[in-house]
Short mmCIF file of all heavy atoms in Angstrom, two decimals:
data_model
loop_
_atom_site.label_atom_id
_atom_site.label_comp_id
_atom_site.label_asym_id
_atom_site.label_seq_id
_atom_site.Cartn_x
_atom_site.Cartn_y
_atom_site.Cartn_z
N ASP D 118 -3.67 13.68 -14.85
CA ASP D 118 -2.27 13.31 -14.99
C ASP D 118 -1.42 13.95 -13.90
O ASP D 118 -0.42 13.39 -13.51
CB ASP D 118 -1.77 13.71 -16.38
CG ASP D 118 -0.39 13.17 -16.67
OD1 ASP D 118 -0.17 11.99 -16.43
OD2 ASP D 118 0.45 13.94 -17.13
N GLY D 119 -1.81 15.10 -13.40
CA GLY D 119 -1.01 15.82 -12.42
C GLY D 119 -0.87 15.11 -11.10
O GLY D 119 0.24 14.95 -10.59
N VAL D 120 -1.99 14.66 -10.52
CA VAL D 120 -1.96 14.01 -9.21
C VAL D 120 -1.23 12.68 -9.29
O VAL D 120 -0.41 12.36 -8.43
CB VAL D 120 -3.38 13.82 -8.65
CG1 VAL D 120 -3.37 13.00 -7.37
CG2 VAL D 120 -4.05 15.16 -8.42
N SER D 121 -1.49 11.91 -10.33
CA SER D 121 -0.83 10.60 -10.44
C SER D 121 0.67 10.76 -10.63
O SER D 121 1.45 9.95 -10.11
CB SER D 121 -1.43 9.79 -11.59
OG SER D 121 -1.24 10.46 -12.83
N THR D 122 1.09 11.80 -11.32
CA THR D 122 2.53 12.06 -11.50
C THR D 122 3.18 12.43 -10.18
O THR D 122 4.27 11.94 -9.85
CB THR D 122 2.76 13.18 -12.53
OG1 THR D 122 2.15 12.79 -13.76
CG2 THR D 122 4.24 13.45 -12.74
N ILE D 123 2.52 13.26 -9.40
CA ILE D 123 3.04 13.67 -8.10
C ILE D 123 3.16 12.46 -7.17
O ILE D 123 4.17 12.27 -6.50
CB ILE D 123 2.15 14.77 -7.47
CG1 ILE D 123 2.26 16.05 -8.28
CG2 ILE D 123 2.53 15.01 -6.00
CD1 ILE D 123 1.23 17.10 -7.92
N LEU D 124 2.11 11.63 -7.14
CA LEU D 124 2.13 10.43 -6.29
C LEU D 124 3.23 9.47 -6.75
O LEU D 124 4.00 8.96 -5.93
CB LEU D 124 0.78 9.73 -6.32
CG LEU D 124 -0.37 10.44 -5.63
CD1 LEU D 124 -1.68 9.70 -5.88
CD2 LEU D 124 -0.13 10.60 -4.15
N ALA D 125 3.34 9.23 -8.04
CA ALA D 125 4.34 8.31 -8.56
C ALA D 125 5.75 8.79 -8.23
O ALA D 125 6.62 7.99 -7.86
CB ALA D 125 4.17 8.13 -10.06
N ASP D 126 5.99 10.10 -8.35
CA ASP D 126 7.30 10.65 -8.02
C ASP D 126 7.63 10.44 -6.54
O ASP D 126 8.75 10.07 -6.19
CB ASP D 126 7.37 12.14 -8.36
CG ASP D 126 7.41 12.40 -9.85
OD1 ASP D 126 7.68 11.46 -10.62
OD2 ASP D 126 7.14 13.55 -10.25
N ALA D 127 6.65 10.67 -5.68
CA ALA D 127 6.86 10.48 -4.23
C ALA D 127 7.15 9.02 -3.91
O ALA D 127 8.06 8.71 -3.15
CB ALA D 127 5.65 10.97 -3.46
N PHE D 128 6.38 8.11 -4.50
CA PHE D 128 6.57 6.68 -4.23
C PHE D 128 7.93 6.20 -4.74
O PHE D 128 8.58 5.38 -4.11
CB PHE D 128 5.46 5.85 -4.87
CG PHE D 128 4.08 6.18 -4.35
CD1 PHE D 128 2.97 6.05 -5.17
CD2 PHE D 128 3.87 6.63 -3.06
CE1 PHE D 128 1.71 6.34 -4.72
CE2 PHE D 128 2.60 6.93 -2.59
CZ PHE D 128 1.51 6.79 -3.43
N THR D 129 8.36 6.71 -5.88
CA THR D 129 9.66 6.34 -6.43
C THR D 129 10.79 6.75 -5.49
O THR D 129 11.78 6.03 -5.35
CB THR D 129 9.86 7.02 -7.81
OG1 THR D 129 8.79 6.61 -8.67
CG2 THR D 129 11.17 6.63 -8.43
N LYS D 130 10.61 7.87 -4.80
CA LYS D 130 11.60 8.34 -3.83
C LYS D 130 11.48 7.62 -2.49
O LYS D 130 12.25 7.86 -1.58
CB LYS D 130 11.43 9.84 -3.60
CG LYS D 130 11.73 10.68 -4.82
CD LYS D 130 11.43 12.13 -4.54
CE LYS D 130 11.53 12.97 -5.80
NZ LYS D 130 11.07 14.36 -5.56
N GLY D 131 10.45 6.78 -2.33
CA GLY D 131 10.24 6.06 -1.07
C GLY D 131 9.48 6.87 -0.04
O GLY D 131 9.47 6.52 1.14
N GLU D 132 8.84 7.95 -0.46
CA GLU D 132 8.11 8.83 0.46
C GLU D 132 6.66 8.38 0.62
O GLU D 132 6.03 7.94 -0.34
CB GLU D 132 8.13 10.27 -0.07
CG GLU D 132 9.51 10.85 -0.21
CD GLU D 132 9.51 12.20 -0.91
OE1 GLU D 132 8.46 12.61 -1.44
OE2 GLU D 132 10.58 12.82 -0.93
N ASN D 133 6.14 8.52 1.84
CA ASN D 133 4.72 8.28 2.10
C ASN D 133 3.95 9.55 1.78
O ASN D 133 4.48 10.64 1.87
CB ASN D 133 4.50 7.90 3.56
CG ASN D 133 5.19 6.60 3.92
OD1 ASN D 133 5.48 5.78 3.07
ND2 ASN D 133 5.47 6.42 5.18
N VAL D 134 2.67 9.38 1.41
CA VAL D 134 1.83 10.53 1.07
C VAL D 134 0.60 10.51 1.95
O VAL D 134 -0.15 9.53 1.97
CB VAL D 134 1.41 10.50 -0.42
CG1 VAL D 134 0.49 11.66 -0.74
CG2 VAL D 134 2.63 10.52 -1.32
N TYR D 135 0.40 11.60 2.70
CA TYR D 135 -0.76 11.74 3.59
C TYR D 135 -1.75 12.70 2.96
O TYR D 135 -1.39 13.82 2.58
CB TYR D 135 -0.31 12.28 4.95
CG TYR D 135 -1.46 12.67 5.86
CD1 TYR D 135 -2.28 11.70 6.43
CD2 TYR D 135 -1.74 14.00 6.13
CE1 TYR D 135 -3.33 12.05 7.25
CE2 TYR D 135 -2.79 14.35 6.95
CZ TYR D 135 -3.59 13.38 7.51
OH TYR D 135 -4.64 13.73 8.31
N LEU D 136 -3.00 12.26 2.82
CA LEU D 136 -4.06 13.11 2.31
C LEU D 136 -5.07 13.32 3.44
O LEU D 136 -5.76 12.38 3.86
CB LEU D 136 -4.74 12.46 1.10
CG LEU D 136 -3.83 12.21 -0.10
CD1 LEU D 136 -4.57 11.44 -1.18
CD2 LEU D 136 -3.29 13.51 -0.65
N ARG D 137 -5.11 14.52 3.95
CA ARG D 137 -5.94 14.84 5.11
C ARG D 137 -7.39 14.45 4.88
O ARG D 137 -7.99 14.77 3.86
CB ARG D 137 -5.85 16.34 5.40
CG ARG D 137 -6.54 16.72 6.67
CD ARG D 137 -6.34 18.17 6.96
NE ARG D 137 -6.80 18.41 8.30
CZ ARG D 137 -6.35 19.35 9.08
NH1 ARG D 137 -5.42 20.16 8.65
NH2 ARG D 137 -6.82 19.49 10.30
N GLY D 138 -7.94 13.73 5.84
CA GLY D 138 -9.33 13.29 5.77
C GLY D 138 -9.53 12.04 4.94
O GLY D 138 -10.62 11.48 4.92
N LEU D 139 -8.52 11.59 4.23
CA LEU D 139 -8.65 10.41 3.38
C LEU D 139 -7.81 9.25 3.92
O LEU D 139 -8.33 8.18 4.19
CB LEU D 139 -8.21 10.74 1.95
CG LEU D 139 -8.38 9.64 0.92
CD1 LEU D 139 -9.85 9.31 0.71
CD2 LEU D 139 -7.75 10.06 -0.39
N GLY D 140 -6.52 9.47 4.09
CA GLY D 140 -5.65 8.42 4.60
C GLY D 140 -4.22 8.60 4.15
O GLY D 140 -3.84 9.65 3.65
N THR D 141 -3.44 7.54 4.30
CA THR D 141 -2.02 7.59 3.98
C THR D 141 -1.65 6.48 3.01
O THR D 141 -2.03 5.33 3.21
CB THR D 141 -1.18 7.42 5.27
OG1 THR D 141 -1.58 8.43 6.20
CG2 THR D 141 0.30 7.55 4.99
N PHE D 142 -0.92 6.85 1.98
CA PHE D 142 -0.32 5.89 1.07
C PHE D 142 1.09 5.66 1.58
O PHE D 142 1.87 6.61 1.69
CB PHE D 142 -0.28 6.42 -0.36
CG PHE D 142 -1.63 6.55 -0.99
CD1 PHE D 142 -2.32 7.75 -0.95
CD2 PHE D 142 -2.21 5.47 -1.64
CE1 PHE D 142 -3.57 7.87 -1.54
CE2 PHE D 142 -3.46 5.59 -2.24
CZ PHE D 142 -4.13 6.79 -2.19
N GLU D 143 1.43 4.41 1.92
CA GLU D 143 2.73 4.10 2.49
C GLU D 143 3.51 3.18 1.57
O GLU D 143 2.97 2.19 1.06
CB GLU D 143 2.57 3.40 3.84
CG GLU D 143 1.88 4.23 4.89
CD GLU D 143 1.67 3.47 6.18
OE1 GLU D 143 1.39 2.25 6.14
OE2 GLU D 143 1.78 4.09 7.24
N VAL D 144 4.77 3.49 1.36
CA VAL D 144 5.66 2.63 0.60
C VAL D 144 6.19 1.57 1.55
O VAL D 144 6.77 1.89 2.58
CB VAL D 144 6.82 3.44 -0.03
CG1 VAL D 144 7.76 2.51 -0.78
CG2 VAL D 144 6.28 4.53 -0.94
N LYS D 145 5.97 0.31 1.22
CA LYS D 145 6.39 -0.80 2.06
C LYS D 145 7.37 -1.69 1.29
O LYS D 145 7.18 -1.94 0.10
CB LYS D 145 5.19 -1.66 2.48
CG LYS D 145 4.18 -0.96 3.36
CD LYS D 145 4.68 -0.89 4.76
CE LYS D 145 3.58 -0.40 5.68
NZ LYS D 145 3.97 -0.45 7.05
N ALA D 146 8.38 -2.15 1.98
CA ALA D 146 9.35 -3.07 1.38
C ALA D 146 9.00 -4.49 1.80
O ALA D 146 8.64 -4.74 2.94
CB ALA D 146 10.75 -2.72 1.84
N THR D 147 9.08 -5.41 0.85
CA THR D 147 8.89 -6.82 1.16
C THR D 147 10.24 -7.51 1.05
O THR D 147 11.06 -7.15 0.21
CB THR D 147 7.89 -7.49 0.21
OG1 THR D 147 8.38 -7.41 -1.12
CG2 THR D 147 6.52 -6.83 0.30
N LYS D 148 10.46 -8.50 1.87
CA LYS D 148 11.72 -9.25 1.85
C LYS D 148 11.64 -10.36 0.81
O LYS D 148 10.56 -10.80 0.42
CB LYS D 148 11.97 -9.89 3.22
CG LYS D 148 12.18 -8.90 4.33
CD LYS D 148 12.41 -9.60 5.64
CE LYS D 148 12.60 -8.61 6.77
NZ LYS D 148 12.80 -9.29 8.05
N GLU D 149 12.81 -10.80 0.37
CA GLU D 149 12.88 -11.96 -0.51
C GLU D 149 12.34 -13.16 0.25
O GLU D 149 12.57 -13.31 1.45
CB GLU D 149 14.33 -12.19 -0.90
CG GLU D 149 14.54 -13.31 -1.87
CD GLU D 149 15.99 -13.46 -2.23
OE1 GLU D 149 16.43 -12.79 -3.18
OE2 GLU D 149 16.69 -14.24 -1.55
N LYS D 150 11.61 -14.02 -0.44
CA LYS D 150 11.06 -15.19 0.24
C LYS D 150 10.99 -16.38 -0.72
O LYS D 150 11.09 -16.23 -1.93
CB LYS D 150 9.67 -14.88 0.80
CG LYS D 150 8.65 -14.47 -0.23
CD LYS D 150 7.35 -14.06 0.42
CE LYS D 150 6.38 -13.55 -0.64
NZ LYS D 150 5.13 -13.10 -0.07
N LYS D 151 10.79 -17.53 -0.14
CA LYS D 151 10.65 -18.75 -0.93
C LYS D 151 9.19 -18.94 -1.30
O LYS D 151 8.29 -18.67 -0.51
CB LYS D 151 11.13 -19.97 -0.13
CG LYS D 151 12.60 -19.97 0.16
CD LYS D 151 12.99 -21.19 0.95
CE LYS D 151 14.47 -21.15 1.30
NZ LYS D 151 14.85 -22.30 2.12
N GLY D 152 8.96 -19.40 -2.51
CA GLY D 152 7.62 -19.69 -2.98
C GLY D 152 7.62 -21.04 -3.68
O GLY D 152 8.64 -21.73 -3.74
N TYR D 153 6.48 -21.40 -4.23
CA TYR D 153 6.36 -22.68 -4.92
C TYR D 153 5.57 -22.48 -6.20
O TYR D 153 4.46 -21.94 -6.18
CB TYR D 153 5.69 -23.71 -4.02
CG TYR D 153 5.75 -25.11 -4.57
CD1 TYR D 153 6.93 -25.83 -4.54
CD2 TYR D 153 4.63 -25.71 -5.14
CE1 TYR D 153 7.00 -27.13 -5.06
CE2 TYR D 153 4.68 -26.99 -5.66
CZ TYR D 153 5.87 -27.70 -5.62
OH TYR D 153 5.94 -28.96 -6.13
N ASP D 154 6.13 -22.88 -7.32
CA ASP D 154 5.47 -22.81 -8.62
C ASP D 154 4.74 -24.13 -8.82
O ASP D 154 5.36 -25.16 -9.11
CB ASP D 154 6.52 -22.59 -9.71
CG ASP D 154 5.90 -22.43 -11.09
OD1 ASP D 154 4.70 -22.74 -11.25
OD2 ASP D 154 6.63 -21.99 -12.00
N ILE D 155 3.40 -24.10 -8.65
CA ILE D 155 2.64 -25.36 -8.72
C ILE D 155 2.57 -25.93 -10.13
O ILE D 155 2.45 -27.13 -10.29
CB ILE D 155 1.23 -25.20 -8.12
CG1 ILE D 155 0.45 -24.11 -8.84
CG2 ILE D 155 1.29 -24.93 -6.65
CD1 ILE D 155 -1.01 -24.02 -8.43
N SER D 156 2.66 -25.08 -11.16
CA SER D 156 2.57 -25.60 -12.52
C SER D 156 3.85 -26.35 -12.91
O SER D 156 3.80 -27.31 -13.67
CB SER D 156 2.31 -24.47 -13.52
OG SER D 156 3.37 -23.55 -13.54
N ARG D 157 4.99 -25.93 -12.38
CA ARG D 157 6.26 -26.60 -12.69
C ARG D 157 6.73 -27.49 -11.55
O ARG D 157 7.76 -28.15 -11.64
CB ARG D 157 7.33 -25.57 -13.00
CG ARG D 157 7.01 -24.78 -14.25
CD ARG D 157 8.10 -23.82 -14.58
NE ARG D 157 7.73 -23.03 -15.75
CZ ARG D 157 8.36 -21.96 -16.14
NH1 ARG D 157 9.41 -21.53 -15.47
NH2 ARG D 157 7.97 -21.30 -17.20
N ARG D 158 6.01 -27.45 -10.45
CA ARG D 158 6.31 -28.28 -9.27
C ARG D 158 7.74 -28.12 -8.78
O ARG D 158 8.49 -29.08 -8.62
CB ARG D 158 6.01 -29.75 -9.53
CG ARG D 158 4.56 -30.00 -9.80
CD ARG D 158 4.28 -31.44 -9.99
NE ARG D 158 2.84 -31.63 -10.18
CZ ARG D 158 2.27 -32.77 -10.38
NH1 ARG D 158 2.99 -33.86 -10.42
NH2 ARG D 158 0.98 -32.85 -10.55
N ARG D 159 8.09 -26.85 -8.52
CA ARG D 159 9.42 -26.59 -7.99
C ARG D 159 9.42 -25.32 -7.15
O ARG D 159 8.56 -24.46 -7.29
CB ARG D 159 10.45 -26.49 -9.10
CG ARG D 159 10.25 -25.32 -10.01
CD ARG D 159 11.33 -25.26 -11.05
NE ARG D 159 11.06 -24.14 -11.94
CZ ARG D 159 11.81 -23.77 -12.91
NH1 ARG D 159 12.92 -24.44 -13.17
NH2 ARG D 159 11.50 -22.75 -13.67
N SER D 160 10.41 -25.23 -6.28
CA SER D 160 10.57 -24.06 -5.43
C SER D 160 11.14 -22.91 -6.25
O SER D 160 11.95 -23.14 -7.16
CB SER D 160 11.50 -24.36 -4.26
OG SER D 160 10.92 -25.33 -3.42
N VAL D 161 10.69 -21.72 -5.93
CA VAL D 161 11.21 -20.52 -6.60
C VAL D 161 11.51 -19.48 -5.53
O VAL D 161 11.03 -19.56 -4.41
CB VAL D 161 10.20 -19.95 -7.62
CG1 VAL D 161 9.99 -20.89 -8.78
CG2 VAL D 161 8.88 -19.60 -6.96
N VAL D 162 12.31 -18.49 -5.90
CA VAL D 162 12.60 -17.38 -5.01
C VAL D 162 11.82 -16.17 -5.50
O VAL D 162 11.94 -15.77 -6.66
CB VAL D 162 14.11 -17.07 -4.98
CG1 VAL D 162 14.39 -15.84 -4.14
CG2 VAL D 162 14.87 -18.27 -4.45
N VAL D 163 10.99 -15.62 -4.62
CA VAL D 163 10.25 -14.40 -4.93
C VAL D 163 11.14 -13.24 -4.48
O VAL D 163 11.47 -13.13 -3.30
CB VAL D 163 8.89 -14.36 -4.19
CG1 VAL D 163 8.14 -13.09 -4.51
CG2 VAL D 163 8.07 -15.59 -4.53
N PRO D 164 11.55 -12.39 -5.43
CA PRO D 164 12.51 -11.32 -5.07
C PRO D 164 11.91 -10.26 -4.15
O PRO D 164 10.68 -10.07 -4.12
CB PRO D 164 12.90 -10.73 -6.42
CG PRO D 164 11.79 -11.09 -7.34
CD PRO D 164 11.19 -12.35 -6.83
N ALA D 165 12.78 -9.56 -3.45
CA ALA D 165 12.35 -8.43 -2.62
C ALA D 165 11.81 -7.34 -3.53
O ALA D 165 12.25 -7.20 -4.68
CB ALA D 165 13.53 -7.91 -1.81
N SER D 166 10.86 -6.58 -3.04
CA SER D 166 10.29 -5.50 -3.85
C SER D 166 9.67 -4.45 -2.94
O SER D 166 9.62 -4.61 -1.72
CB SER D 166 9.23 -6.05 -4.81
OG SER D 166 8.13 -6.55 -4.08
N ARG D 167 9.23 -3.37 -3.56
CA ARG D 167 8.50 -2.34 -2.83
C ARG D 167 7.10 -2.24 -3.41
O ARG D 167 6.89 -2.44 -4.61
CB ARG D 167 9.20 -0.98 -2.96
CG ARG D 167 10.54 -0.95 -2.28
CD ARG D 167 11.14 0.42 -2.17
NE ARG D 167 11.13 1.14 -3.44
CZ ARG D 167 11.41 2.43 -3.55
NH1 ARG D 167 11.73 3.13 -2.51
NH2 ARG D 167 11.39 3.03 -4.73
N THR D 168 6.14 -1.91 -2.56
CA THR D 168 4.76 -1.76 -2.98
C THR D 168 4.14 -0.62 -2.20
O THR D 168 4.72 -0.13 -1.23
CB THR D 168 3.97 -3.07 -2.80
OG1 THR D 168 2.69 -2.94 -3.40
CG2 THR D 168 3.82 -3.42 -1.33
N VAL D 169 2.96 -0.19 -2.60
CA VAL D 169 2.26 0.89 -1.93
C VAL D 169 1.02 0.33 -1.26
O VAL D 169 0.22 -0.38 -1.88
CB VAL D 169 1.87 2.02 -2.92
CG1 VAL D 169 1.08 3.10 -2.22
CG2 VAL D 169 3.10 2.60 -3.58
N LYS D 170 0.85 0.64 0.02
CA LYS D 170 -0.32 0.23 0.79
C LYS D 170 -1.10 1.49 1.18
O LYS D 170 -0.50 2.54 1.42
CB LYS D 170 0.09 -0.51 2.06
CG LYS D 170 0.93 -1.74 1.83
CD LYS D 170 0.10 -2.87 1.35
CE LYS D 170 0.98 -4.12 1.23
NZ LYS D 170 0.24 -5.29 0.97
N PHE D 171 -2.41 1.38 1.27
CA PHE D 171 -3.24 2.50 1.69
C PHE D 171 -3.82 2.22 3.06
O PHE D 171 -4.33 1.13 3.32
CB PHE D 171 -4.38 2.74 0.70
CG PHE D 171 -5.30 3.86 1.11
CD1 PHE D 171 -4.87 5.17 1.03
CD2 PHE D 171 -6.56 3.59 1.60
CE1 PHE D 171 -5.71 6.21 1.42
CE2 PHE D 171 -7.40 4.63 1.99
CZ PHE D 171 -6.97 5.93 1.90
N ARG D 172 -3.70 3.20 3.96
CA ARG D 172 -4.29 3.09 5.30
C ARG D 172 -5.31 4.21 5.43
O ARG D 172 -4.96 5.39 5.40
CB ARG D 172 -3.21 3.20 6.36
CG ARG D 172 -3.71 2.87 7.75
CD ARG D 172 -2.57 2.73 8.72
NE ARG D 172 -1.52 3.70 8.42
CZ ARG D 172 -0.91 4.43 9.34
NH1 ARG D 172 -1.21 4.29 10.60
NH2 ARG D 172 0.03 5.28 9.00
N ILE D 173 -6.57 3.85 5.60
CA ILE D 173 -7.66 4.82 5.67
C ILE D 173 -7.58 5.61 6.98
O ILE D 173 -7.19 5.08 8.02
CB ILE D 173 -9.02 4.09 5.53
CG1 ILE D 173 -10.16 5.07 5.34
CG2 ILE D 173 -9.27 3.19 6.72
CD1 ILE D 173 -11.48 4.40 4.96
N SER D 174 -7.97 6.87 6.92
CA SER D 174 -7.98 7.70 8.14
C SER D 174 -9.17 7.33 9.00
O SER D 174 -10.20 6.85 8.51
CB SER D 174 -8.04 9.18 7.78
OG SER D 174 -9.32 9.52 7.28
N ASN D 175 -9.04 7.56 10.31
CA ASN D 175 -10.15 7.29 11.23
C ASN D 175 -11.35 8.15 10.89
O ASN D 175 -12.49 7.70 11.00
CB ASN D 175 -9.73 7.52 12.68
CG ASN D 175 -8.83 6.42 13.19
OD1 ASN D 175 -8.88 5.30 12.71
ND2 ASN D 175 -7.98 6.75 14.14
N GLU D 176 -11.11 9.37 10.46
CA GLU D 176 -12.19 10.28 10.09
C GLU D 176 -13.04 9.70 8.96
O GLU D 176 -14.27 9.67 9.04
CB GLU D 176 -11.59 11.62 9.66
CG GLU D 176 -12.59 12.66 9.22
CD GLU D 176 -11.90 13.93 8.73
OE1 GLU D 176 -10.74 14.18 9.08
OE2 GLU D 176 -12.57 14.67 7.98
N LEU D 177 -12.41 9.21 7.92
CA LEU D 177 -13.14 8.62 6.79
C LEU D 177 -13.79 7.31 7.18
O LEU D 177 -14.92 7.03 6.79
CB LEU D 177 -12.20 8.42 5.60
CG LEU D 177 -12.84 7.86 4.33
CD1 LEU D 177 -14.00 8.73 3.86
CD2 LEU D 177 -11.79 7.72 3.24
N LYS D 178 -13.09 6.51 7.97
CA LYS D 178 -13.65 5.23 8.42
C LYS D 178 -14.93 5.45 9.20
O LYS D 178 -15.94 4.78 8.99
CB LYS D 178 -12.63 4.50 9.29
CG LYS D 178 -13.03 3.08 9.65
CD LYS D 178 -12.06 2.44 10.61
CE LYS D 178 -10.67 2.33 10.07
NZ LYS D 178 -9.75 1.61 10.97
N ASN D 179 -14.91 6.44 10.12
CA ASN D 179 -16.10 6.75 10.89
C ASN D 179 -17.23 7.28 10.02
O ASN D 179 -18.39 6.94 10.20
CB ASN D 179 -15.78 7.76 11.99
CG ASN D 179 -14.90 7.17 13.08
OD1 ASN D 179 -14.88 5.96 13.28
ND2 ASN D 179 -14.17 8.01 13.76
N ARG D 180 -16.88 8.09 9.05
CA ARG D 180 -17.89 8.65 8.14
C ARG D 180 -18.55 7.55 7.31
O ARG D 180 -19.77 7.54 7.12
CB ARG D 180 -17.22 9.67 7.24
CG ARG D 180 -18.19 10.46 6.41
CD ARG D 180 -17.48 11.59 5.73
NE ARG D 180 -18.43 12.28 4.88
CZ ARG D 180 -18.11 13.24 4.05
NH1 ARG D 180 -16.85 13.63 3.98
NH2 ARG D 180 -19.01 13.81 3.31
N ILE D 181 -17.76 6.61 6.82
CA ILE D 181 -18.31 5.50 6.03
C ILE D 181 -19.24 4.63 6.87
O ILE D 181 -20.26 4.18 6.40
CB ILE D 181 -17.15 4.62 5.47
CG1 ILE D 181 -16.39 5.40 4.40
CG2 ILE D 181 -17.67 3.32 4.92
CD1 ILE D 181 -15.12 4.73 3.96
N ASN D 182 -18.88 4.44 8.13
CA ASN D 182 -19.66 3.58 9.02
C ASN D 182 -20.73 4.34 9.79
O ASN D 182 -21.32 3.80 10.72
CB ASN D 182 -18.73 2.85 9.98
CG ASN D 182 -17.87 1.85 9.25
OD1 ASN D 182 -18.36 1.05 8.47
ND2 ASN D 182 -16.57 1.90 9.49
N ASN D 183 -20.96 5.60 9.42
CA ASN D 183 -21.99 6.44 10.07
C ASN D 183 -21.81 6.53 11.57
O ASN D 183 -22.77 6.46 12.33
CB ASN D 183 -23.40 5.93 9.74
CG ASN D 183 -23.72 6.07 8.27
OD1 ASN D 183 -23.39 7.08 7.64
ND2 ASN D 183 -24.35 5.05 7.71
N VAL D 184 -20.57 6.65 12.00
CA VAL D 184 -20.26 6.79 13.41
C VAL D 184 -20.01 8.27 13.69
O VAL D 184 -19.23 8.92 13.01
CB VAL D 184 -18.99 5.99 13.80
CG1 VAL D 184 -18.60 6.22 15.23
CG2 VAL D 184 -19.21 4.51 13.51
N THR D 185 -20.72 8.80 14.69
CA THR D 185 -20.49 10.19 15.06
C THR D 185 -19.56 10.24 16.25
O THR D 185 -19.71 9.48 17.22
CB THR D 185 -21.80 10.91 15.40
OG1 THR D 185 -22.48 10.17 16.44
CG2 THR D 185 -22.71 10.99 14.19
N VAL D 186 -18.58 11.10 16.18
CA VAL D 186 -17.62 11.25 17.26
C VAL D 186 -17.78 12.66 17.81
O VAL D 186 -17.70 13.64 17.08
CB VAL D 186 -16.16 11.06 16.75
CG1 VAL D 186 -15.18 11.25 17.87
CG2 VAL D 186 -16.02 9.69 16.12
N ASP D 187 -18.02 12.75 19.12
CA ASP D 187 -18.22 14.07 19.75
C ASP D 187 -16.93 14.64 20.21
O ASP D 187 -15.99 14.08 20.56
CB ASP D 187 -19.18 13.94 20.94
CG ASP D 187 -20.57 13.53 20.46
OD1 ASP D 187 -20.96 13.93 19.35
OD2 ASP D 187 -21.26 12.80 21.21
#
């Protein structure tokens, strides 16, 4: 519960979280956009929102792919 609470608090504030050797959790904003509801056959507006994206570190990526870096 501790780590998830810390991460959730940071994301709520709009802060990115970097975990050394693992990667970065980034808060990203999406713009409002037009969409289409196929079941009702009409245009809809998808509201702007924020989401969290994860970007893996090069160190972990290399380790997963068995790449040695000198």
Side-chain angles (χ1 to χ4, degrees):
D118 189 47
V120 173
S121 62
T122 302
I123 292 169
L124 291 174
D126 289 344
F128 299 149
T129 302
K130 295 175 188 173
E132 299 172 351
N133 297 337
V134 177
Y135 171 71
L136 299 174
R137 187 176 191 152
L139 184 65
T141 304
F142 291 94
E143 298 176 324
V144 178
K145 295 281 190 174
T147 61
K148 295 180 181 179
E149 183 179 272
K150 60 185 176 182
K151 294 180 183 178
Y153 190 75
D154 183 347
I155 58 172
S156 63
R157 296 183 183 168
R158 296 183 178 180
R159 65 178 178 178
S160 295
V161 294
V162 175
V163 180
S166 65
R167 294 190 310 169
T168 188
V169 177
K170 302 284 184 171
F171 178 72
R172 189 169 37 135
I173 191 170
S174 71
N175 286 334
E176 179 183 339
L177 182 57
K178 188 185 299 184
N179 291 336
R180 189 171 177 187
I181 290 171
N182 293 310
N183 295 318
V184 175
T185 55
V186 178
D187 295 327

